[in-house]
């Protein structure tokens, strides 16, 4: 039992590491593309703010731990969690390889659902998967797109007579704050998902009781994500920073600030595990649409949406196969 628990915890940290290098682009790609920050400084800022975010809340962790599947106690539960993480990690690596900013959150939830179905255990479809995952993940990009569009229009109107060069310089400086804020939101959301998996692993192994996430779990998850973030996700940065829409500092600030607000609200108000990737990508599309509809490269956007749609079922299938493999060697 102890060895299996250690393996699950290690795999959860591997997932957090891949989440870091996969999703680090969310917080810093725009700041780098507008030259508000150099790549290494941006990565360092994102890594630090991810740690801070991980220390501020555990509500999402509890949702992941207890709101998706009814994990059985003992070795069977640990096999379900291990298979869930295998599905999530493999999808993260695959989408990173192709430079697609897909959702690590969806990958993990998909992995949990797939492994749960393969194990024949209850899945909380209505209250958990739909209520806490699917609806927030569908609505949050919509809110990000509309919010970024409206705010960008307001910025254009307020600064319509301002000197364009001064505006660019001012927003480039402001992006240091907005990108750090977005990295904080990423830590609030994504670091907690691995915390939730480790929490339920400790519970099913009989090593922990209650909903409180141990401090050491928070710290190791934060450290793993920070390490992955600092390693960078250059393939995805190119997609988010340039291929969707050629972002300038005003666009970057508005997209990052809007995304941060969405992340904070969903974390603290409803503890829903939403996708940082979905929110910032839709916000970039929103600010780009204020220029003209054709300014956004909708072909690239379509590729990203396809990856979004495929993430949950693909991770579920891989996790189900992984669970079957664990049964063969158990």
């Amino acid at each position: 039992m102890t060895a299996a628990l250690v393996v699950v915890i290690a795999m959860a940290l591997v997932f957090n590491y891949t989440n870091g290098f996969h999703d680090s682009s969310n917080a810093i790609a725009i700041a780098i593309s507008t030259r508000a920050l150099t790549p290494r400084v941006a990565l360092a800022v994102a890594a630090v703010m991810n740690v801070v975010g991980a220390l501020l809340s555990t509500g999402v962790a509890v949702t992941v731990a207890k709101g998706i599947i009814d994990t059985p106690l003992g070795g069977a539960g640990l096999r379900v969690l291990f298979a869930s993480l295998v599905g999530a990690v493999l999808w993260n690596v695959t989408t990173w390889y192709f430079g697609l900013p897909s959702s690590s959150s969806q990958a993990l939830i998909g992995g949990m659902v797939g492994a749960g179905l393969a194990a024949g255990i209850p899945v909380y479809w209505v209250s958990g998967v739909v209520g806490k995952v699917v609806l927030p993940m569908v609505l949050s990009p919509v809110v990000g797109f509309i919010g970024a569009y409206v705010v960008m229009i307001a910025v254009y109107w307020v600064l319509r007579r301002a000197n364009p060069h001064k505006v660019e310089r001012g927003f480039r400086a402001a992006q240091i704050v907005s990108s750090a804020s977005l990295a904080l939101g990423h830590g609030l959301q994504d670091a907690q998902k691995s915390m939730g998996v480790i929490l339920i692993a400790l519970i099913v192994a009989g090593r922990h009781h209650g909903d409180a996430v141990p401090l050491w779990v928070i710290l190791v998850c934060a450290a793993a994500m920070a390490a992955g973030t600092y390693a960078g996700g250059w393939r995805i940065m190119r997609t988010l920073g340039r291929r969707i829409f050629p972002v300038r500092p005003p666009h970057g600030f508005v997209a990052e600030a809007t995304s941060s607000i969405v992340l904070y609200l969903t974390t603290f108000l409803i503890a829903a595990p939403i996708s940082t990737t979905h929110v910032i990508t839709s916000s970039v599309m929103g600010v780009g649409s204020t220029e003209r509809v054709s300014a956004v490269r909708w072909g690239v956007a379509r590729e990203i949406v396809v990856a979004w749609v495929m993430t949950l079922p693909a991770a579920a299938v891989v996790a189900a196969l992984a669970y079957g493999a664990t049964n063969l060697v158990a």
Side-chain angles (χ1 to χ4, degrees), residues 1-14 78 81-82 85-86 201:
M1 180 74 76
T2 300
L5 176 61
V6 170
V7 169
V8 170
I9 293 173
M11 196 65 182
L13 297 180
V14 169
L78 293 176
L81 294 175
F82 176 78
L85 291 163
V86 169

Side-chain angles (χ1 to χ4, degrees), residues 91 100-103 106 137 141 275 277-282 285 301-313:
W91 185 254
L100 293 174
S102 69
S103 168
Q106 270 192 325
M137 280 191 176
S275 169
T277 305
H278 289 189
V279 176
I280 185 59
T281 305
S282 61
M285 294 176 190
R302 185 168 55 251
E303 293 175 8
I304 294 169
V305 171
V306 169
W308 290 356
V309 173
M310 289 177 59
T311 294
L312 199 151

